[in-house]
């Protein structure tokens, strides 16, 4: 069984070719927008497959996937030209196999539950902290998707502050609009937070400021205050996930986990302190190979789809 997996991520497109659970080859392309991406992705996939036929194909997108039409229906600014494109049809036309299309955070949780940090768990949630806040949930061994593909993936868009800024999603004071890399950039630009001299120097060095910069400059009281607030916002999201989905395992991933030693203990402390009194205190885990979570989940989905096609014939 050969599976082709494609992660159309916010900052990069990652590709992987698997034989069942074994990664044979991977590649990364800079993310752009629109059909050009698909042409480049197809060319890269051809090189990786080396003439072999993919039995199953799965594609992850950073937004809501309509489960019926298998189209990306909302991603707020990312891959605008791919909205409404039938990626399964594209895959069928280009590779002879219709792709499974899945939300990226959901694919990451599938990857971690099938072979990674949440292996063996039947009830798990994932929170990916980085450019935005991605989430996913599984109950009783099944990833939840809901009637319209929205279930479990919007925990970063719960209102944390009714008086907070309007989020591009349409809601007010979303966690993501208060504590994400893009929110940090916006808050600094409109001077909603004060920054210390070292963070100001980094900002002046004309490179994008990330949450890692906050962590690295936390000896400055301004950075420490922003970071503490961010951890509280992330903690509120995880408390909400635990209240909604009752997991035994919380997978914490995303670029912020490069500062795991600083962030994770504070996050766990917040969650344990604020959970409903009788709530189960879940285990917190982080992926060993976070860059592969999504591709591994896609490999599992592609394998399932290939097996189902073999069993039930082409659909
Ligand atoms: Zn929002």
């Amino acid at each position: 069984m050969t599976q082709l997996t494609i992660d159309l991520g916010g900052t990069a497109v990652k590709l992987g070719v698997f034989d069942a659970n074994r990664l044979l080859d991977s590649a990364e392309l800079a993310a752009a927008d629109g059909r050009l991406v698909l042409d480049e992705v197809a060319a890269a996939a051809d090189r990786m497959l080396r003439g072999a036929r993919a039995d199953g194909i799965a594609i992850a997108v950073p937004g809501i996937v309509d489960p019926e039409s298998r189209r990306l229906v909302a991603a707020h600014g990312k891959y605008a030209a791919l909205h409404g494109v039938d990626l399964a049809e594209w895959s069928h036309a280009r590779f002879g196999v219709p792709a499974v299309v899945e939300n990226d955070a959901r694919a990451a949780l599938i990857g971690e539950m099938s072979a990674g940090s949440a292996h063996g768990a039947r009830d798990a949630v994932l929170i990916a902290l980085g450019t935005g806040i991605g989430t996913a949930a599984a109950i009783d061994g099944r990833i939840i998707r809901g009637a319209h593909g929205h279930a479990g993936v919007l925990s970063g868009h719960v209102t944390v502050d009714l008086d907070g800024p309007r989020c591009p999603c349409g809601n007010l004071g979303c966690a993501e609009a208060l504590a994400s890399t893009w929110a940090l950039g916006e808050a600094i630009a409109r001077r909603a937070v004060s920054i210390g001299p070292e963070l100001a120097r980094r900002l002046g060095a004309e490179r994008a400021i990330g949450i890692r910069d906050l962590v690295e400059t936390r000896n400055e009281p301004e950075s420490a205050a922003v970071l503490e607030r961010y951890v509280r916002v992330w903690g509120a999201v995880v408390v909400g996930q635990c209240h909604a989905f009752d997991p035994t395992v919380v997978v914490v991933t995303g670029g912020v986990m490069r500062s795991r030693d600083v962030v994770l203990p504070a996050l766990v402390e917040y969650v344990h302190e604020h959970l409903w009194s009788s709530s189960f205190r879940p285990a917190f885990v982080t992926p060993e190979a976070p860059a592969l979570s999504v591709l591994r989940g896609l490999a599992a989905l592609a394998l399932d789809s290939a097996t189902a096609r073999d069993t039930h014939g082409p659909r």
Side-chain angles (χ1 to χ4, degrees), residues 157 167 169 171 174:
H157 295 272
C167 180
C169 79
N171 194 13
C174 290

Side-chain angles (χ1 to χ4, degrees), residues 3-313:
Q3 302 114 276
L4 171 63
T5 61
I6 302 166
D7 175 13
L8 297 173
T11 52
V13 177
K14 293 184 188 132
L15 294 98
V17 172
F18 286 78
D19 173 17
N21 292 324
R22 196 160 59 92
L23 179 66
L24 300 179
D25 195 7
S26 63
E28 190 167 321
L29 311 170
D33 204 352
R35 211 162 273 284
L36 181 65
V37 168
L38 291 182
D39 290 344
E40 284 179 20
V41 166
D46 284 340
R47 287 194 294 275
M48 291 167 70
L49 287 167
R50 297 189 190 104
R53 180 188 145 89
D55 302 296
I57 300 178
I59 302 174
V61 291
I64 302 295
V65 176
D66 177 68
E68 285 291 316
S69 65
R70 303 165 301 189
R71 289 167 161 87
L72 173 65
V73 291
H76 297 298
K78 291 171 278 191
Y79 293 107
L82 288 185
H83 287 198
V85 173
D86 187 338
L87 291 169
E89 186 52 45
W90 168 77
S91 157
H92 190 237
R94 189 63 179 68
F95 299 101
V97 181
V100 178
V101 185
E102 184 58 281
N103 167 271
D104 54 1
R106 225 179 251 142
L109 181 55
I110 293 168
E112 290 307 307
M113 288 178 77
S114 59
S117 58
H119 184 61
R122 292 183 56 76
D123 300 275
V125 297
L126 175 139
I127 181 167
L129 302 167
T131 311
I133 298 179
T135 63
I139 293 178
D140 202 18
R142 295 177 72 91
I143 286 283
I144 61 164
R145 295 187 172 85
H148 310 97
H150 293 61
V153 297
L154 293 180
S155 294
H157 295 272
V158 290
T159 297
V160 175
D161 179 2
L162 272 172
D163 300 315
R166 183 171 286 278
C167 180
C169 79
N171 194 13
L172 287 174
C174 290
E176 181 176 303
L178 293 170
S180 62
T181 298
W182 71 256
L184 177 64
E186 290 209 347
I188 290 173
R190 57 187 164 84
R191 299 179 188 277
V193 292
S194 42
I195 57 176
E198 170 56 22
L199 193 58
R201 190 193 63 75
R202 292 185 180 201
L203 194 63
E206 285 184 29
R207 65 179 185 81
I209 286 287
I211 289 160
R212 193 174 198 178
D213 296 288
L214 268 188
V215 174
E216 288 172 356
T217 60
R218 68 189 185 283
N219 61 330
E220 298 186 333
E222 295 90 345
S223 288
V226 176
L227 183 62
E228 194 208 339
R229 174 151 177 77
Y230 278 28
V231 169
R232 289 159 58 84
V233 170
W234 300 330
V237 173
V238 176
V239 168
Q241 288 179 292
C242 291
H243 289 173
F245 307 116
D246 194 11
T248 57
V249 174
V250 177
V251 181
V252 188
T253 187
V256 173
M257 280 301 102
R258 285 196 290 269
S259 308
R260 176 187 191 278
D261 293 350
V262 174
V263 172
L264 195 62
L267 181 68
V268 173
E269 186 184 341
Y270 180 94
V271 173
H272 282 182
E273 195 178 318
H274 294 86
L275 274 179
W276 178 264
S277 59
S278 64
S279 282
F280 179 79
R281 267 48 187 168
F284 283 73
V285 298
T286 52
E288 262 180 41
L292 289 180
S293 303
V294 173
L295 293 184
R296 284 196 175 131
L298 292 175
L301 288 168
L303 187 60
D304 282 353
S305 75
T307 310
R309 227 177 7 258
D310 282 352
T311 310
H312 303 296

